[in-house]
Amino acid sequence: MNPLVFAAITVAVSFTIGMVAYPFLIRLLRRWGVGQVIQHELSPEHQRKAGTPTGGGILFVLLGIVGGLASLSTHRGALPAVAALFLFGLLGFADDLAKLRFGQRGVPARYKFPLQILLAIPVAYLAQGPAPGSRCCCVWAR
């Protein structure tokens, strides 16, 4: 199958699943009481977001990972993208959990930024790929 057609089908299927599944996920998150906590010193515009379900990125990340894994055979750039989505999705999940457990603060920026740099290292390594002319047994290098 043409890689472009395969990518278009993957995006369309992921989009459709997301459109169908997100309303159910939002209702489930509301039922569980998983809502945004907003800092008191922020503007009234931000205060309106209080109680908005948090954690919806779970479905986005899962759909992206499944779509990325499906395209590994046709696109060698998919592996670093899947790795980045997985690693930074974990960081977002940890941030949401911290907000829910400890209140207004998620993972503080002084920790989050160094963590993002640390998580980018394996992604950059995967994105670099093998050196030209080297023999590699990796799937994405073929």
Side-chain angles (χ1 to χ4, degrees):
M1 177 180 287
N2 181 335
L4 188 58
V5 171
F6 184 78
I9 291 171
T10 303
V11 168
V13 169
S14 294
F15 180 79
T16 303
I17 291 171
M19 290 294 291
V20 170
Y22 261 114
F24 296 108
L25 179 63
I26 291 169
R27 279 195 292 269
L28 181 66
L29 292 171
R30 279 198 179 132
R31 191 173 318 133
W32 287 348
V34 182
Q36 285 281 350
V37 179
I38 306 298
Q39 297 174 2
H40 298 293
E41 65 271 6
L42 293 177
S43 68
E45 289 81 24
H46 278 85
Q47 297 301 329
R48 289 185 296 179
K49 290 178 22 178
T52 300
T54 187
I58 293 171
L59 183 60
F60 177 81
V61 169
L62 287 176
L63 289 172
I65 288 173
V66 170
L69 291 174
S71 66
L72 277 177
S73 63
T74 61
H75 194 292
R76 54 187 281 183
L79 185 62
V82 169
L85 190 56
F86 176 74
L87 292 173
F88 287 91
L90 283 178
L91 182 58
F93 183 71
D95 187 48
D96 282 350
L97 275 182
K99 285 178 188 173
L100 294 171
R101 284 190 177 170
F102 305 117
Q104 299 169 354
R105 290 185 62 161
V107 176
R110 68 176 179 268
Y111 298 132
K112 195 183 299 185
F113 185 65
L115 278 171
Q116 289 172 341
I117 292 172
L118 189 65
L119 294 176
I121 292 170
V123 173
Y125 176 78
L126 289 173
Q128 182 181 3
S134 68
R135 302 192 88 214
C136 181
C137 62
C138 303
V139 173
W140 72 91
R142 293 182 187 162

